[in-house]
Amino acid sequence: MLRALEPGRSRPYRVPWSVDRSDGAHPTLTNIGEEPADFVRVFRSDGPSEHLGQVLPGENVTLCLCGADLDAVVVTLAWYRWLTDEEYCWRFVL
C-alpha cells in the first residue's frame, strides 16, 4: 500500500551502486553516489553473506561468487544511508 511521506523525512534517492559484470564470478560493485553507504551487507540467494562496513563514494568492492550457480544466484545489498537510520536494499543478478 502506498502512503505519503512523513514531513521531515528525507526523500528517496538514486541507488548509489554500479555493477561491473565483466569478470564472471567476480562482479565489482562501485559506490557511484555522493555520500558513503554505511553498514553495507551482501546477501546471496545461495546462502553466504558478507559484511563490508562503510563503502565510500568511488570505492570499488569485488565479490567472489566462485562456486555459485551464476545463472541462478541473486545478490542483495543492504545499507544505511549516511547519517540516517534509513535502511535500503537493492538486488541484482548476473
Side-chain angles (χ1 to χ4, degrees):
M1 181 167 112
L2 296 176
R3 62 179 170 77
L5 293 175
E6 298 171 21
R9 300 262 322 193
S10 63
R11 294 285 197 213
Y13 75 116
R14 183 179 296 215
V15 171
W17 305 108
S18 173
V19 180
D20 178 357
R21 296 172 172 88
S22 62
D23 188 8
H26 298 97
T28 299
L29 302 170
T30 303
N31 179 350
I32 58 171
E34 297 179 2
E35 59 192 36
D38 280 336
F39 305 107
V40 180
R41 282 113 42 232
V42 178
F43 302 97
R44 293 170 38 177
S45 59
D46 61 350
S49 63
E50 188 175 352
H51 181 252
L52 302 177
Q54 187 178 67
V55 179
L56 301 174
E59 187 173 357
N60 297 319
V61 178
T62 301
L63 303 179
C64 180
L65 301 179
C66 292
D69 178 353
L70 300 182
D71 292 326
V73 70
V74 178
V75 179
T76 303
L77 288 163
W79 73 96
Y80 286 88
R81 190 169 180 186
W82 190 52
L83 299 177
T84 74
D85 61 352
E86 297 171 352
E87 185 175 28
Y88 291 81
C89 285
W90 183 63
R91 303 175 95 180
F92 69 92
V93 296
L94 299 175

